[in-house]
Each structure stands twice: as C-alpha cells, then as structure tokens.
Amino acid sequence: MEKQGRKHSATPDLPPLRKASSFSKIQHEAYDYIIVGGGTAGCPLAATLSKKYKVLLLERGGSPYGNRNISYLENFHICLTDESKNSPSQGFISTDGVINSRAKVLGGGTCINAGFYSRANRRFVKDAGWDEELVNQSYPWVEERIVYWPKIAPWQAALRDGLLEAGVSPYNGYTYDHLFGTKVGGTIFDEAGYRHTAADLLAAANPDNLRVLLHASVNKVIFKTRHGHQKQSAIGVQFKDENGGHHQAFLSQKRGSEIIVSAGAIGSPQLLLISGIGPRSELKKHNISIVFHNEHVGKGMSDNPLSSVFIPTKDPPKQSLIETVGITDDGVFIEASSGFGQTGDSIHCHHGIMSAEIGQLSTIPPKDRSLEAVHKYVRNKNSLPKEVFHGGFILSKIDGPLSTGNLVLVDTDPNSNPIVTFNYFKHPQDLRRCVYGIKTIEKIISTNTFSNFTPKDGGYSMEKLLNMSVAANINLIPKHTDDSTSLEQFCRDTVVTIWHYHGGCHVGKVVDQQYKVIGASGLRVIDGSTLSRSPGTNPQATVMMMGRYMGVKILRERLGRAAGV
C-alpha cells in the first residue's frame, strides 16, 4: 500500500496538447508512427514508441485536464450524462436495447470509468500468446505511474466480509492479481478522490518526438499500391479538425513505419470498414472502395452483461465505486457501488454507477429503453421518496462472455455511432452464470454483515429487493424469484452494461499475432477490439499494459533488445 497518499498533480508534465487545426500551421514532417486514438491503449503505446521514433497521436476528443467531472470521483456520473458537443463520452444504444457509452477524450475509457484496476490471469496472458516476462514488466510500468490502493469504503468492506461469509474465499487481501476468492484491487483514484488516467502516461514520452493533436477525427486510412507488392500499404491518414478543416498526415519512407489504430472496440472496426477493409457487401452498400475483403471485421462483438440488486440502507452510505471483488470459480465476478456524489455541480438524487442518467435503466426491459426513457426518469424522480436513494448496489458481471454479435456502419462518418448488436445471453452458459450470480448476491445479502446495513423493520426479502426499481413506479421485474425461470427472466429484463465491450478486430481473423492487419501492410490494430474476451474482472489494466507491451515489442523488432525502454 506504499502508493497511498501520493500527491496528485492537476496537470502532469506532458508534451504539448494542441488542437488539430494547428496542424496546418506547423512544419510538415513525416512520422515513423501515426496512432489513431489517444485512449487506454493509444497513450502508453505513443509514449513508448516516442522514446526512439517520431510519433503523431490523433485523438478525436479533447483534454481531460481541468474538467472536474472527469477528475473527481464524486462527479463520476456526470461525464456519462453529458450530451454536449465537447462531452468526454458519446452515448449509443445497441440493437439489444441497452444504453451504452464510448469515450471521446484523451485518455479514453480511463477518464470515464469507475477506476478499478485488476490484472488479467495467467491463462489469459498465455492464450494471448504474450511474453509473460514482458507482461510482468509492462503492468508495473503503468502501476507506478497512475495506480493507487483504495482507502476502503464501508460498503466495500461490507461486500468483502459478506463475500467471505457467503463462501467466496479465500481472502487474498490487497492485490492486482486475478485470484479466485475475494480481494481488494487497485484504483486510478488517489486518496483525495482525484482520477489519474492513461493520458498521464504521456508524461513518460520523449516530448521532442511526440506530437499530440486533439479534436482530430480520422475519417480514412490512406493506402497505396507499391510496385511488386500484392498488398496495399497504409501510408497516411485523412482527418478533420475541430473547425471542420481537412488534413492529411503521412508516414516516413523508412522501413517499418506504420499506422496503428487504437480507437477502441467501436472505433477501430468502424475505421477499418470506412477505410475499405471489411466484408465486400458491407463496403459496397456504402460505396467504399475495397482495399481488402475480410468478412470478420466488425464480427465477434461482445459486452459483459451486468445484473444488479439495490439494497436500501438505514442511512445514506458513503460514496464508493468499485474497490472489492469476489472472483467465483463459476465465471461470475461480484462487485459493488454505493452512495451518491452531492457536490455543488453534481446531479442530485441519483443511483451512482447504476443511475438511469448514465443509461442504467435496469428495471425497464431492454427493448423499451431509450434516451427518452432516461429523460422521463429524470423528470419524474424528484417525486420519489428520498429513501429510494439511500442504499447501494451489489453487481454481478459475467466473465467472457460467450455470446457475440456484430457491428455494421450507418454511414461513413467516423463520429456517427455504427449499428452494434451484442446478443446478450444468446449463449445459454451466460444465462446460467447470471442466475448463479444473483443467487450468490442473495447469499451475501442474507449474511450478518449486510443485516447491519438494512433497516430493522424493512422486511426486505430477496423478492422485494429484486422488485425495487431505479424508478420505483416501474414494476416490470418478475416476482417469482424462487423459481429459476424467473431469475432467468430477471437477467434478461434487467441486463445493463458495465462498459467492458470488446471485439470486432479479433486476432487470427482481422489481425495476426503481432496485431498487423491481415491483407494490408504498414497497419496494425492495438486495443480492446482485438480481444475475444474481457481480461480479468475489469479490462483497463490489461489494455493499458497492452499499449506499453506492444510499444516495447515493436521497438525491439526494429532495434533489437538494445531498444533500452
């Protein structure tokens, strides 16, 4: 716990963060690497590559610095409700009816998530074909810069004790490692509740070699057919600045120069499709010139389904996001959140991480969810009894998952949301795991630990708890909770996201083992879109590690082990 209490700096010592429109005023130069997306993977990747090479990092969003809604834990919920032009998040609704969000800010998902930091297990690393020694060097590179131990909140301590009492053991203490049982993980919020993000990792860059442009929306990878080569080569990108001005940036002629797409699980397959790599029929539909036909681009999209149970408490609990996790041996992770930020610029009377304002309408069946349903909830909630907002949630997340869907274009605008389908619970094993998770939560709630939290005369049976809603007047949850069919229906009707979606550019189908795009040269994808399952309990640790890991791998490919990073 040696990092607890480290002083935070409002703005780390970063390379200059410039607006994209400044590109036309600077001396044009060719870059060894152009990275599309300054997010969870893109920032550590750019910082690492800049140690030896010229790097251009293009981020479609703005800076996280100076934004209180990003920086402070108590304002976590506000970022995900912001619909303004400069919001750090962009909402979308999958065809399943689940309201979701994608990042649009330097630092990516680390700027808008709940902060929990936990590594993937060894099997995940082995299945990915990663070098375990380099992985074990790359995680600490992230951790020593932006990860802290939480000062555990009462609700999180109660979950810890309740999990152990319910048999989710052993207790593994404070650890980043993915171990069966109950543990307290790391967090990117420091002791003062200040958020540290992947953008902070840019402080490790060589500022002379790294140019960062904000509000730079890349709308196409530029390809060229080289003499004597069958594959088309990526040579540059087209992007639009914050004023709508158009620009092009190009790679140097040096052997090994590359475009690296790190735009996330939505943005990366979307950009490949817009640039001409994907299913022929899909590209023709939008009059996109075909660079390479690959039917797998946009396929295998997954989102880990989340179910939650609200537990009323005698008094409003202290706010907490995710600090404790129970890792069961049945593919279910149990986490918790509690309390509601009430700063002057906060949204009052909301349900924290599960609030309807951030799309977690967990009591409305998915097909009935819409942004209008969110707005209706917000309009009506002030008439609800205040007791409805006194409590916390226990969350059940499904590992994997095994159910998959797809992504297709709406149009060729990279800032549009594509049509995304996740097919929650299509695979029966995911549904079985959800039921197991709810039954585990029932065991936790019935422990002595949690009986101390709930009102003595509350009479909160599991059935009653399952039927309490974020919007108390909506009563669409099945009541026969002692029947397994009802629990299955509860899972289907209340599924929400925890924003851990992934896929669309799978290894072996869209990219090879080195993350090079199949069918093109000079192009890689390095981010969560390449993953076939979510790593560990929460993915940010592994995605940041992946950016650092692949940066070092690429430098070693070009320079040998003497790369010195």
Side-chain angles (χ1 to χ4, degrees):
M1 296 178 62
E2 67 282 356
K3 293 178 199 158
Q4 225 175 287
R6 181 181 357 163
K7 299 293 184 192
H8 75 255
S9 166
T11 308
D13 188 15
L14 300 172
L17 308 179
R18 297 187 174 95
K19 290 184 176 179
S21 57
S22 69
F23 190 73
S24 60
K25 302 180 183 70
I26 60 178
Q27 182 180 355
H28 284 284
E29 56 184 321
Y31 298 90
D32 299 303
Y33 296 97
I34 298 174
I35 299 174
V36 181
T40 309
C43 285
L45 177 64
T48 302
L49 292 175
S50 73
K51 287 296 189 181
K52 302 293 179 181
Y53 291 99
K54 291 282 185 187
V55 178
L56 175 65
L57 179 62
L58 300 171
E59 167 52 48
R60 74 187 185 115
S63 168
Y65 301 106
N67 185 332
R68 288 175 55 82
N69 295 340
I70 291 173
S71 297
Y72 292 100
L73 183 148
E74 63 262 39
N75 293 335
F76 159 77
H77 54 285
I78 301 180
C79 280
L80 292 162
T81 70
D82 186 354
E83 295 178 21
S84 69
K85 182 184 174 186
N86 293 320
S87 170
S89 69
Q90 179 177 347
F92 69 96
I93 305 177
S94 68
T95 64
D96 316 275
V98 173
I99 301 170
N100 215 315
S101 202
R102 54 192 289 211
K104 191 178 66 173
V105 61
L106 186 70
T110 65
C111 296
I112 61 174
N113 67 16
F116 192 66
Y117 183 97
S118 185
R119 298 179 178 186
N121 63 17
R122 292 183 69 180
R123 183 185 165 191
F124 186 96
V125 171
K126 185 177 179 182
D127 289 349
W130 292 337
D131 174 343
E132 190 170 354
E133 182 183 1
L134 182 53
V135 165
N136 290 332
Q137 293 167 2
S138 299
Y139 276 122
W141 184 88
V142 174
E143 290 154 8
E144 66 192 22
R145 288 168 169 81
I146 64 167
V147 185
Y148 298 76
W149 295 117
K151 186 176 180 182
I152 192 163
W155 188 257
Q156 302 293 328
L159 176 66
R160 175 197 62 202
D161 297 343
L163 281 163
L164 293 170
E165 205 176 328
V168 184
S169 57
Y171 178 53
N172 294 307
Y174 286 71
T175 180
Y176 299 144
D177 292 335
H178 186 94
L179 303 169
F180 288 120
T182 295
K183 73 166 192 170
V184 177
T187 177
I188 57 174
F189 289 103
D190 65 22
E191 197 174 36
Y194 184 89
R195 181 192 294 271
H196 298 261
T197 76
D200 295 12
L201 300 175
L202 295 174
N206 177 348
D208 296 330
N209 277 348
L210 177 61
R211 186 178 301 282
V212 181
L213 295 182
L214 304 178
H215 306 292
S217 294
V218 175
N219 46 40
K220 191 178 184 182
V221 177
I222 302 168
F223 292 93
K224 181 179 180 181
T225 304
R226 297 192 188 277
H227 183 69
H229 292 264
Q230 282 189 317
K231 292 180 183 178
Q232 291 200 48
S233 298
I235 61 167
V237 296
Q238 293 179 1
F239 66 94
K240 196 160 66 170
D241 66 31
E242 72 277 7
N243 301 321
H246 293 269
H247 308 270
Q248 293 185 332
F250 292 97
L251 292 173
S252 74
Q253 297 289 318
K254 293 179 195 169
R255 182 181 177 86
S257 296
E258 292 178 313
I259 308 290
I260 303 176
V261 180
S262 297
I266 305 295
S268 289
Q270 181 182 22
L271 183 59
L272 289 191
L273 289 167
I274 291 170
S275 301
I277 297 176
R280 183 177 285 106
S281 58
E282 174 72 2
L283 302 180
K284 282 186 172 180
K285 195 188 303 178
H286 296 280
N287 297 315
I288 298 169
S289 299
I290 298 169
V291 171
F292 182 73
H293 163 68
N294 186 333
E295 63 183 3
H296 300 294
V297 178
K299 302 297 193 301
M301 297 294 295
S302 297
D303 188 21
N304 300 77
L306 184 77
S307 298
S308 64
V309 177
F310 178 66
I311 302 163
T313 56
K314 288 177 279 192
D315 303 300
K318 181 184 176 186
Q319 185 181 20
S320 69
L321 295 178
I322 294 168
E323 298 169 357
T324 301
V325 63
I327 300 173
T328 73
D329 56 8
D330 203 48
V332 174
F333 308 134
I334 307 295
E335 301 176 336
S337 68
S338 65
F340 324 115
Q342 296 293 335
T343 61
D345 49 3
S346 177
I347 297 169
H348 291 254
C349 298
H350 67 93
H351 281 102
I353 195 172
M354 298 305 298
S355 187
E357 281 99 334
I358 59 175
Q360 305 289 29
L361 289 170
S362 59
T363 55
I364 301 179
K367 296 296 182 186
D368 296 337
R369 293 179 201 163
S370 65
L371 294 177
E372 176 51 34
V374 174
H375 298 148
K376 183 179 179 183
Y377 166 84
V378 173
R379 288 194 299 269
N380 294 339
K381 70 175 183 175
N382 288 329
S383 64
L384 298 175
K386 295 301 177 198
E387 290 75 22
V388 171
F389 300 98
H390 287 187
F393 286 88
I394 301 182
L395 318 173
S396 172
K397 174 194 166 184
I398 308 305
D399 190 17
L402 298 172
S403 305
T404 63
N406 63 77
L407 174 154
V408 295
L409 297 177
V410 168
D411 54 34
T412 57
D413 181 352
N415 289 313
S416 294
N417 285 321
I419 299 169
V420 184
T421 303
F422 293 118
N423 287 324
Y424 298 99
F425 301 125
K426 185 177 181 180
H427 195 290
Q429 179 68 4
D430 290 340
L431 193 56
R432 284 194 291 272
R433 285 176 171 175
C434 180
V435 169
Y436 175 85
I438 299 301
K439 288 180 176 178
T440 303
I441 291 175
E442 184 173 11
K443 287 181 187 175
I444 295 166
I445 292 168
S446 64
T447 62
N448 293 328
T449 301
F450 271 88
S451 65
N452 295 329
F453 270 93
T454 53
K456 289 283 184 282
D457 57 352
Y460 294 114
S461 66
M462 187 62 177
E463 179 179 347
K464 187 169 183 179
L465 290 172
L466 289 179
N467 283 286
M468 291 191 76
S469 69
V470 171
N473 56 332
I474 298 170
N475 191 16
L476 297 173
I477 304 301
K479 292 181 173 59
H480 304 293
T481 53
D482 57 342
D483 177 271
S484 64
T485 306
S486 293
L487 279 185
E488 288 169 356
Q489 194 62 46
F490 176 85
C491 289
R492 289 193 186 96
D493 283 354
T494 66
V495 62
V496 294
T497 186
I498 195 168
W499 311 286
H500 295 169
Y501 52 84
H502 50 278
C505 297
H506 282 174
V507 173
K509 294 182 176 179
V510 177
V511 297
D512 65 15
Q513 284 288 335
Q514 301 304 314
Y515 301 96
K516 294 180 179 179
V517 174
I518 295 166
S521 62
L523 182 63
R524 298 196 206 218
V525 177
I526 298 174
D527 60 21
S529 70
T530 64
L531 304 178
S532 58
R533 67 182 194 271
S534 187
T537 62
N538 300 67
Q540 71 166 349
T542 301
V543 177
M544 284 190 281
M545 181 282 295
M546 182 185 189
R548 169 63 180 179
Y549 173 95
M550 283 307 300
V552 174
K553 287 275 285 187
I554 290 167
L555 290 181
R556 287 179 179 175
E557 281 174 21
R558 292 187 75 169
L559 299 170
R561 292 192 74 86
V565 289

